[in-house]
Amino acid sequence: MRLGVLISGRGSNMQAIVQACQQGVVPNTTVAAVVANQQAATGVAWAAEQGLPTGVYPNKAYANRAAQEAAIIAFLQQQGVDAVCLAGYMRIVSPQFIAAFAGRVLNIHPSLLPRHGGPGMVGQAVHAAVLVAGDVETGCTIHWVTPTVDAGPIIVQQSVPVHPGDTVDTLAQRVLVEEHIAYPKALAMVAKGVVAPPAVVATL
Ligand code: GRF
């Protein structure tokens, strides 16, 4: 399997995926491309140092999302990518993007979906919602991407306790450790054919 990993920031999940593929934790799989939608994504430099093909496609460099996605899809297809991992990618992908990879698009979300998911529930806002709700546990979810945000079939979940006195930062750190376990675990299931993507919604 040849993976394309999309990031918007430091890319620690991307790094965990690269290392899991190199170590054979995810069998017969390699990261063939790393894409960012902003120049400031520091994970791109790390990927380039690893010798991985990288591409930066800033939101503001394109008239609209469709034009940006067309450029990203072309690059990924040039690299022979057959599955895409969204890893801290801070833009919603279109149904056309999902269809371009036959539904083989995965995402990581830093809560136990369906709790604390949906539009706007990203990054620290998710952990803040967990604290406000008084949840005693949280975690992360790897799921197939469908046109409804954070609602695709769940592949793997890892949970952690919420401790009294936890802050958004202490929670984010505890969850991140599990994220780096969850994504390789989910990708190993995909590589072994244990799970398959949902049927793709026909796009106009
Ligand atoms: C992670 O917390 C992930 O759950 C969320 O965005 C963050 C990405 O972190 N989607 P990194 O760029 O992989 O370090």
Side-chain angles (χ1 to χ4, degrees), residues 7-14 87-90 107-110 123 127 176 179-180:
I7 66 171
S8 294
R10 74 193 154 188
S12 73
N13 277 285
M14 175 269 295
Y89 187 66
M90 303 306 278
N107 183 47
I108 183 166
H109 182 80
H127 303 302
L176 192 66
E179 293 180 23
H180 298 164

Side-chain angles (χ1 to χ4, degrees), residues 1-66:
M1 188 163 60
R2 293 178 61 81
L3 300 176
V5 185
L6 273 54
I7 66 171
S8 294
R10 74 193 154 188
S12 73
N13 277 285
M14 175 269 295
Q15 294 183 25
I17 292 166
V18 169
Q19 287 159 358
C21 293
Q22 289 171 344
Q23 293 158 7
V25 169
V26 184
N28 310 313
T29 300
T30 184
V31 173
V34 173
V35 163
N37 68 327
Q38 56 183 0
Q39 206 66 41
T42 53
V44 174
W46 183 89
E49 282 157 21
Q50 298 290 312
L52 300 176
T54 60
V56 180
Y57 301 85
N59 293 357
K60 58 182 181 300
Y62 296 89
N64 53 48
R65 182 180 67 173

